Amino acid sequence: MTEATTAQPVIPQLIVGLGNPGAKYDRTRHNIGFEVIDTLAKVWQISLSENRKFQGFFGEGMAAGRVKIRLLKPTTYMNNSGQAIRAVTDWYKLPPESVLVIYDDMDLPVGKLRLRLSGSAGGQNGMKSAIAHLGTQTFPRLRIGIGSAKNGDVAGDAVSHVLGRFSAREAEVMTEVLHLVVGAVELSLKQGVDKAMSLYNNRTITQTTS
């Protein structure tokens, strides 16, 4: 019975982008999860609106190949993201493994993304909150590289790095990365996260030197 269950592809039903609300955090590295949700909403023509019950901007509609999907940008601030995620999963009775969480990662260079089916928070406070509220580490996540701070050994430098904005050259790369993310997410919806992992985890968008 367990083997049959494991063989089933993991298909997301809720996609959550992590970030902080407010104009001062807009377009910062730490808010790349929000940008992904905005991009997916645009591509799939899903309207996002503030939903107090879900503590975030929420929308639902049809995505790649007519798959029903829900999108969420928590407005709880990063450290309490799990509250909003749990509010949606409780309301729709969604299992944790159907939640795909998208967020920034300093351990990955700009131009890389990494899909996983489970794992620890890796020091990311939004993920710590998601794991605490879902009660498990077994749910898919997509990490998007934002590169490390120049002097990453100093905590203040790391904070200013994640809350800073991409350079003009990095922003060009991130535009391409967003296209890549849309492809990875759409494949996850059609054929499962495993399939998307095998095709997208080794891809890199490189910065041009011109």
Side-chain angles (χ1 to χ4, degrees):
M1 187 72 177
T2 315
E3 287 179 14
T5 310
T6 331
Q8 294 296 318
V10 174
I11 308 285
Q13 297 179 60
L14 167 66
I15 302 173
V16 184
L18 301 188
N20 286 309
K24 75 171 182 172
Y25 297 108
D26 194 34
R27 302 279 172 186
T28 58
R29 292 182 178 91
H30 215 25
N31 268 32
I32 192 64
F34 276 15
E35 281 196 58
V36 169
I37 296 299
D38 288 339
T39 302
L40 293 173
K42 189 176 178 181
V43 170
W44 298 335
Q45 297 183 316
I46 293 175
S47 173
L48 297 173
S49 57
E50 191 162 9
N51 186 310
R52 290 178 186 274
K53 181 172 58 189
F54 296 154
Q55 303 174 64
F57 283 89
F58 178 81
E60 57 184 325
M62 305 306 279
R66 304 199 170 198
V67 180
K68 184 167 187 181
I69 197 66
R70 300 170 183 93
L71 302 175
L72 175 69
K73 295 195 300 182
T75 50
T76 52
Y77 287 95
M78 183 69 80
N79 295 4
N80 294 313
S81 301
Q83 292 176 13
I85 297 171
R86 185 61 188 264
V88 179
T89 57
D90 281 356
W91 181 261
Y92 289 104
K93 298 180 171 53
L94 301 175
E97 62 269 19
S98 72
V99 181
L100 172 62
V101 182
I102 301 175
Y103 59 102
D104 60 288
D105 192 338
M106 287 206 312
D107 293 333
L108 287 175
V110 172
K112 288 287 284 184
L113 51 89
R114 186 77 77 242
L115 264 169
R116 289 279 182 268
L117 285 168
S118 63
S120 69
Q124 218 277 1
N125 289 331
M127 281 300 285
K128 285 181 187 172
S129 178
I131 288 168
H133 282 84
L134 290 173
T136 180
Q137 296 186 354
T138 310
F139 56 89
R141 70 282 316 269
L142 172 55
R143 295 180 288 136
I144 298 174
I146 60 165
S148 57
K150 293 285 186 287
N151 303 301
D153 53 322
V154 183
D157 287 331
V159 171
S160 59
H161 178 71
V162 297
L163 294 182
R165 287 174 171 78
F166 292 105
S167 69
R169 189 172 288 173
E170 286 175 335
E172 285 180 22
V173 174
M174 293 310 295
T175 300
E176 295 300 314
V177 167
L178 287 173
H179 289 308
L180 206 61
V181 168
V182 170
V185 171
E186 289 193 339
L187 188 60
S188 296
L189 295 178
K190 290 173 183 169
Q191 297 183 43
V193 175
D194 280 89
K195 183 69 173 176
M197 282 168 56
S198 68
L199 289 183
Y200 283 89
N201 279 355
N202 58 354
R203 295 196 189 180
T204 308
I205 304 290
T206 51
Q207 296 187 40
T208 56
T209 48
S210 54

